[in-house]
Amino acid sequence: PEPEAPLPAFPESRPEASTCSVRFSDIDLMRHLNNAATVEVLDNVAWEAYAQTGITPETTQFDILYYDIEYIDSPRFGDKLEIQSWLIPSSSSFEEQEVSRLQQITREGKVMVRAYSRWTKHPLA
């Protein structure tokens, strides 16, 4: 198999930030943050940031084009996490149809998870 392409460089700009704790229902049998919980945390934080700009599930639909998650370390039950998100439109206007997200989950300043995803954005009538 071909090696995976590295994630794009994270911007120097200040990210949107949120916090959460790893709940019991978020862990797998190995007591690590499971993949589904990781995606849920990343997506919920992105929607919180979108909502601050007036974009909600009632007004906009996002369809996934690409989602890559890189685990550096595994958060565990009870860990306090910070999620940083950079929401990047495909041009200077957020009205464009394709958007990208760069996100990372940190624990006490140490990067645990990094993610890159691309989406198409569709306004809902």
Side-chain angles (χ1 to χ4, degrees):
E2 292 184 31
E4 290 187 33
L7 296 180
F10 280 60
E12 295 290 325
S13 62
R14 184 181 180 125
E16 299 289 333
S18 186
T19 60
C20 73
S21 294
V22 178
R23 304 168 301 168
F24 172 77
S25 61
D26 296 334
I27 59 175
D28 59 22
L29 295 175
M30 300 298 292
R31 297 180 299 278
H32 300 120
L33 183 67
N34 74 44
N35 294 341
T38 300
V39 170
E40 186 175 294
V41 165
L42 294 171
D43 288 350
N44 284 334
V45 166
W47 273 107
E48 289 171 14
Y50 292 138
Q52 291 177 11
T53 67
I55 297 171
T56 69
E58 290 79 28
T59 63
T60 307
Q61 175 179 320
F62 287 91
D63 295 321
I64 187 71
L65 297 171
Y66 178 84
Y67 214 128
D68 187 16
I69 298 176
E70 175 183 272
Y71 291 89
I72 294 136
D73 199 352
S74 185
R76 295 183 178 268
F77 173 74
D79 282 352
K80 308 288 187 238
L81 306 175
E82 180 179 29
I83 302 90
Q84 300 169 329
S85 301
W86 292 265
L87 310 174
I88 306 163
S90 58
S91 75
S92 60
S93 167
F94 199 72
E95 295 303 316
E96 289 292 320
Q97 292 298 313
E98 188 173 313
V99 295
S100 297
R101 292 187 337 215
L102 284 162
Q103 295 175 286
Q104 62 185 18
I105 299 174
T106 64
R107 181 187 66 210
E108 298 176 355
K110 179 183 177 200
V111 175
M112 308 293 284
V113 178
R114 295 171 10 118
Y116 171 62
S117 59
R118 289 191 344 265
W119 307 78
T120 54
K121 177 180 164 240
H122 307 280
L124 298 175

